[in-house]
Amino acid sequence: MSDVNFRVGALYVHPIKSCAAVPVHEALVVETGLEFDRAWMVVDERGDFLSQRELPRMALIRPTLRAADMVLRAPGMLALHIAYDTVEAPTRVTVWNDTVPAYDMGDLAAQWFSDFLGRPVRLVRFDPEHKRLSSLKWTGGLEAENQFADGFPLLVVTRSALDELNTRLTARGQPAVTMERFRPNLVLEAVDDTLVAHGEDHLDELSIPTDEGPVRLKLVKPCVRCSIPDVDPATAETGHAVGDALAGYRADARMDGGLTFGMNAIVLEGVERLLRVGAAGTANLRF
């Protein structure tokens, strides 16, 4: 018998690593997480990935996913269209400690991103033929594929975790923040008293029924936070209020005192099944 009940409160896809999220009503589960999530990435001249840590303005690049292409918009820029079925030259790029094959998206995209970000950069797409695996240490030996995510296919956060943080922020005289700062894929909402604030810390497996069968996810590793939650997704302004607040109560002994918020997850079952906002699910507690 499952111990915890929830509903899927929100779904987010982040097509370009470290650019704005796309809230979606439904998302296709694929081997690497949600379809199109972290399928593209911005790299420097050496092919090393770039993020809001170095370039907070990346938060202002907003994708729209359409049937045949992705449209990118940013302040002061004409829209850029990226076709799903077109790539250019093969290349190799580095994301954290992994150097992987990818495809350069061409000079037009490179110029657009370089103009907006103020330095020479290029846009690349993950090579779907390559298998980039999560750490087997954390997955218990299960092979979990990623595209350009930091290290795991999915990030799961509870709505009540954000509510708890915002209570603490407002008590410190700071404005509340939105979920987009934490870049989750799934946001779980409580439907009764079984899912508490930061309840994701204690969950093992999620099961979410769909028309095609269940989607089963396993929560495997707490997500240690860097400076990105302190980048305002609406303005790209940086601060330290979020990190300061998390330091007061989210130092995680499992991660050597790192500040954690949310849980990384892998797909156990459900590839080619549609997750929908509002879907009810159950989870069992980790012992």
Side-chain angles (χ1 to χ4, degrees):
M1 180 176 174
S2 296
D3 301 291
V4 176
N5 303 302
F6 63 85
R7 76 166 59 89
V8 178
L11 291 167
Y12 294 96
V13 174
H14 305 81
I16 305 172
K17 185 177 181 68
S18 227
C19 294
V22 179
V24 294
H25 179 69
E26 61 183 30
L28 187 69
V29 178
V30 296
E31 287 86 353
T32 56
L34 300 184
E35 186 179 32
F36 297 127
D37 192 66
R38 277 87 171 188
W40 291 267
M41 184 170 73
V42 180
V43 299
D44 64 15
E45 292 167 295
R46 297 185 306 276
D48 294 335
F49 86 100
L50 293 166
S51 76
Q52 292 179 36
R53 296 170 190 81
E54 308 88 17
L55 296 169
R57 277 169 65 82
M58 290 179 71
L60 303 179
I61 298 172
R62 300 202 164 274
T64 300
L65 296 173
R66 305 196 308 180
D69 66 358
M70 173 174 63
V71 182
L72 303 179
R73 294 179 175 86
M77 303 291 291
L78 296 174
L80 177 68
H81 293 248
I82 302 290
Y84 297 145
D85 62 356
T86 303
V87 293
E88 296 206 14
T91 185
R92 291 187 70 80
V93 297
T94 300
V95 51
W96 295 110
N97 295 321
D98 297 331
T99 299
V100 297
Y103 290 98
D104 188 279
M105 295 303 296
D107 291 341
L108 180 64
Q111 192 63 56
W112 192 92
F113 276 86
S114 299
D115 288 347
F116 183 68
L117 296 173
R119 58 178 286 186
V121 300
R122 299 195 73 84
L123 182 68
V124 298
R125 185 167 184 176
F126 193 83
D127 180 351
E129 297 300 313
H130 179 70
K131 284 192 175 185
R132 177 178 172 244
L133 299 180
S134 298
S135 165
L136 296 175
K137 166 192 168 186
W138 288 101
T139 66
L142 297 173
E143 291 196 351
E145 296 181 40
N146 306 274
Q147 296 199 64
F148 290 131
D150 279 352
F152 295 87
L154 295 158
L155 181 66
V156 177
V157 175
T158 50
R159 180 81 63 191
S160 53
L162 182 69
D163 294 343
E164 170 71 17
L165 171 63
N166 280 331
T167 297
R168 292 170 181 264
L169 282 170
T170 54
R172 299 162 70 106
Q174 298 290 338
V177 298
T178 61
M179 188 63 84
E180 283 84 350
R181 291 186 184 232
F182 294 94
R183 309 184 65 74
N185 297 112
L186 275 77
V187 179
L188 308 185
E189 291 183 350
V191 295
D192 52 31
D193 59 3
T194 60
L195 184 63
V196 298
H198 294 287
E200 65 271 39
D201 289 353
H202 311 293
L203 302 181
D204 182 25
E205 290 186 20
L206 311 181
S207 180
I208 305 165
T210 76
D211 294 343
E212 302 84 21
V215 170
R216 292 174 51 237
L217 309 176
K218 186 174 181 65
L219 279 55
V220 296
K221 181 177 183 285
C223 183
V224 178
R225 293 301 175 162
C226 62
S227 60
I228 289 179
D230 270 308
V231 178
D232 186 331
T235 64
E237 293 177 3
T238 59
H240 51 81
V242 172
D244 289 350
L246 291 176
Y249 74 115
R250 290 299 298 173
D252 195 322
R254 296 171 295 178
M255 305 306 297
D256 299 323
L259 305 180
T260 63
F261 192 100
M263 288 288 293
N264 292 293
I266 64 175
V267 180
L268 297 180
E269 180 185 356
V271 170
E272 299 300 323
R273 294 172 183 169
L274 274 176
L275 278 178
R276 290 186 173 89
V277 172
T282 54
N284 61 320
L285 293 169
R286 179 183 292 107
F287 292 105

